[in-house]
PDB file of all heavy atoms in Angstrom:
ATOM      1  N   VAL A 129      -5.798  21.192 -28.346  1.00 96.00           N
ATOM      2  CA  VAL A 129      -4.574  21.495 -27.612  1.00 96.00           C
ATOM      3  C   VAL A 129      -4.629  21.039 -26.176  1.00 96.00           C
ATOM      4  O   VAL A 129      -3.658  20.596 -25.608  1.00 96.00           O
ATOM      5  CB  VAL A 129      -4.292  23.035 -27.709  1.00 96.00           C
ATOM      6  CG1 VAL A 129      -3.044  23.394 -26.916  1.00 96.00           C
ATOM      7  CG2 VAL A 129      -4.091  23.461 -29.160  1.00 96.00           C
ATOM      8  N   VAL A 130      -5.811  21.263 -25.513  1.00 97.00           N
ATOM      9  CA  VAL A 130      -5.931  20.867 -24.123  1.00 97.00           C
ATOM     10  C   VAL A 130      -5.651  19.376 -23.956  1.00 97.00           C
ATOM     11  O   VAL A 130      -6.206  18.542 -24.683  1.00 97.00           O
ATOM     12  CB  VAL A 130      -7.364  21.206 -23.622  1.00 97.00           C
ATOM     13  CG1 VAL A 130      -7.543  20.730 -22.203  1.00 97.00           C
ATOM     14  CG2 VAL A 130      -7.596  22.692 -23.707  1.00 97.00           C
ATOM     15  N   GLY A 131      -4.841  19.062 -22.970  1.00 97.00           N
ATOM     16  CA  GLY A 131      -4.485  17.701 -22.714  1.00 97.00           C
ATOM     17  C   GLY A 131      -3.209  17.266 -23.388  1.00 97.00           C
ATOM     18  O   GLY A 131      -2.640  16.207 -23.018  1.00 97.00           O
ATOM     19  N   THR A 132      -2.684  18.010 -24.329  1.00 96.00           N
ATOM     20  CA  THR A 132      -1.423  17.769 -24.978  1.00 96.00           C
ATOM     21  C   THR A 132      -0.300  18.296 -24.059  1.00 96.00           C
ATOM     22  O   THR A 132      -0.559  18.984 -23.053  1.00 96.00           O
ATOM     23  CB  THR A 132      -1.304  18.384 -26.356  1.00 96.00           C
ATOM     24  OG1 THR A 132      -1.392  19.805 -26.273  1.00 96.00           O
ATOM     25  CG2 THR A 132      -2.427  17.844 -27.244  1.00 96.00           C
ATOM     26  N   ARG A 133       0.897  18.016 -24.452  1.00 96.00           N
ATOM     27  CA  ARG A 133       2.073  18.526 -23.662  1.00 96.00           C
ATOM     28  C   ARG A 133       2.884  19.466 -24.429  1.00 96.00           C
ATOM     29  O   ARG A 133       3.070  19.336 -25.637  1.00 96.00           O
ATOM     30  CB  ARG A 133       2.950  17.329 -23.205  1.00 96.00           C
ATOM     31  CG  ARG A 133       2.360  16.511 -22.045  1.00 96.00           C
ATOM     32  CD  ARG A 133       3.299  15.430 -21.638  1.00 96.00           C
ATOM     33  NE  ARG A 133       2.771  14.693 -20.454  1.00 96.00           N
ATOM     34  CZ  ARG A 133       3.089  15.036 -19.187  1.00 96.00           C
ATOM     35  NH1 ARG A 133       3.879  16.042 -18.917  1.00 96.00           N
ATOM     36  NH2 ARG A 133       2.543  14.327 -18.221  1.00 96.00           N
ATOM     37  N   ALA A 134       3.445  20.468 -23.762  1.00 95.00           N
ATOM     38  CA  ALA A 134       4.426  21.386 -24.316  1.00 95.00           C
ATOM     39  C   ALA A 134       5.424  21.641 -23.276  1.00 95.00           C
ATOM     40  O   ALA A 134       5.069  21.938 -22.099  1.00 95.00           O
ATOM     41  CB  ALA A 134       3.705  22.684 -24.752  1.00 95.00           C
ATOM     42  N   ALA A 135       6.722  21.530 -23.640  1.00 93.00           N
ATOM     43  CA  ALA A 135       7.806  21.687 -22.659  1.00 93.00           C
ATOM     44  C   ALA A 135       7.590  20.787 -21.428  1.00 93.00           C
ATOM     45  O   ALA A 135       7.973  21.182 -20.305  1.00 93.00           O
ATOM     46  CB  ALA A 135       7.917  23.161 -22.234  1.00 93.00           C
ATOM     47  N   GLY A 136       6.984  19.593 -21.637  1.00 94.00           N
ATOM     48  CA  GLY A 136       6.806  18.688 -20.564  1.00 94.00           C
ATOM     49  C   GLY A 136       5.600  18.969 -19.653  1.00 94.00           C
ATOM     50  O   GLY A 136       5.389  18.228 -18.626  1.00 94.00           O
ATOM     51  N   ILE A 137       4.822  20.003 -19.989  1.00 96.00           N
ATOM     52  CA  ILE A 137       3.711  20.403 -19.096  1.00 96.00           C
ATOM     53  C   ILE A 137       2.370  20.116 -19.849  1.00 96.00           C
ATOM     54  O   ILE A 137       2.239  20.425 -21.030  1.00 96.00           O
ATOM     55  CB  ILE A 137       3.802  21.931 -18.800  1.00 96.00           C
ATOM     56  CG1 ILE A 137       5.113  22.216 -18.083  1.00 96.00           C
ATOM     57  CG2 ILE A 137       2.632  22.327 -17.902  1.00 96.00           C
ATOM     58  CD1 ILE A 137       5.341  23.701 -17.903  1.00 96.00           C
ATOM     59  N   VAL A 138       1.434  19.537 -19.151  1.00 97.00           N
ATOM     60  CA  VAL A 138       0.122  19.258 -19.767  1.00 97.00           C
ATOM     61  C   VAL A 138      -0.672  20.585 -19.862  1.00 97.00           C
ATOM     62  O   VAL A 138      -0.749  21.348 -18.912  1.00 97.00           O
ATOM     63  CB  VAL A 138      -0.644  18.277 -18.886  1.00 97.00           C
ATOM     64  CG1 VAL A 138      -2.100  18.075 -19.461  1.00 97.00           C
ATOM     65  CG2 VAL A 138       0.042  16.946 -18.832  1.00 97.00           C
ATOM     66  N   VAL A 139      -1.181  20.807 -21.034  1.00 97.00           N
ATOM     67  CA  VAL A 139      -2.002  22.055 -21.263  1.00 97.00           C
ATOM     68  C   VAL A 139      -3.353  21.883 -20.653  1.00 97.00           C
ATOM     69  O   VAL A 139      -4.085  20.908 -20.964  1.00 97.00           O
ATOM     70  CB  VAL A 139      -2.113  22.377 -22.801  1.00 97.00           C
ATOM     71  CG1 VAL A 139      -2.941  23.638 -23.005  1.00 97.00           C
ATOM     72  CG2 VAL A 139      -0.742  22.474 -23.428  1.00 97.00           C
ATOM     73  N   GLU A 140      -3.795  22.814 -19.822  1.00 98.00           N
ATOM     74  CA  GLU A 140      -5.081  22.816 -19.204  1.00 98.00           C
ATOM     75  C   GLU A 140      -6.038  23.759 -19.896  1.00 98.00           C
ATOM     76  O   GLU A 140      -5.609  24.691 -20.590  1.00 98.00           O
ATOM     77  CB  GLU A 140      -4.927  23.156 -17.705  1.00 98.00           C
ATOM     78  CG  GLU A 140      -3.989  22.204 -16.925  1.00 98.00           C
ATOM     79  CD  GLU A 140      -3.931  22.536 -15.447  1.00 98.00           C
ATOM     80  OE1 GLU A 140      -4.931  22.353 -14.765  1.00 98.00           O
ATOM     81  OE2 GLU A 140      -2.846  22.935 -15.019  1.00 98.00           O
ATOM     82  N   HIS A 141      -7.370  23.527 -19.618  1.00 98.00           N
ATOM     83  CA  HIS A 141      -8.348  24.388 -20.291  1.00 98.00           C
ATOM     84  C   HIS A 141      -8.334  25.770 -19.598  1.00 98.00           C
ATOM     85  O   HIS A 141      -8.279  25.883 -18.331  1.00 98.00           O
ATOM     86  CB  HIS A 141      -9.727  23.783 -20.211  1.00 98.00           C
ATOM     87  CG  HIS A 141     -10.684  24.353 -21.206  1.00 98.00           C
ATOM     88  ND1 HIS A 141     -11.228  25.567 -21.076  1.00 98.00           N
ATOM     89  CD2 HIS A 141     -11.119  23.829 -22.399  1.00 98.00           C
ATOM     90  CE1 HIS A 141     -11.973  25.829 -22.163  1.00 98.00           C
ATOM     91  NE2 HIS A 141     -11.962  24.767 -22.920  1.00 98.00           N
ATOM     92  N   VAL A 142      -8.492  26.795 -20.414  1.00 97.00           N
ATOM     93  CA  VAL A 142      -8.467  28.175 -19.860  1.00 97.00           C
ATOM     94  C   VAL A 142      -9.603  28.427 -18.936  1.00 97.00           C
ATOM     95  O   VAL A 142      -9.557  29.347 -18.101  1.00 97.00           O
ATOM     96  CB  VAL A 142      -8.454  29.186 -21.047  1.00 97.00           C
ATOM     97  CG1 VAL A 142      -9.815  29.249 -21.722  1.00 97.00           C
ATOM     98  CG2 VAL A 142      -8.028  30.578 -20.543  1.00 97.00           C
ATOM     99  N   ASP A 143     -10.663  27.613 -19.022  1.00 97.00           N
ATOM    100  CA  ASP A 143     -11.787  27.762 -18.047  1.00 97.00           C
ATOM    101  C   ASP A 143     -11.257  27.590 -16.598  1.00 97.00           C
ATOM    102  O   ASP A 143     -11.982  28.079 -15.663  1.00 97.00           O
ATOM    103  CB  ASP A 143     -12.908  26.731 -18.316  1.00 97.00           C
ATOM    104  CG  ASP A 143     -13.703  27.084 -19.571  1.00 97.00           C
ATOM    105  OD1 ASP A 143     -13.550  28.217 -20.089  1.00 97.00           O
ATOM    106  OD2 ASP A 143     -14.469  26.252 -19.997  1.00 97.00           O
TER     107      ASP A 143
END
Side-chain angles (χ1 to χ4, degrees):
V129 177
V130 174
T132 63
R133 285 182 175 270
I137 303 172
V138 175
V139 180
E140 300 182 67
H141 200 287
V142 72
D143 285 351

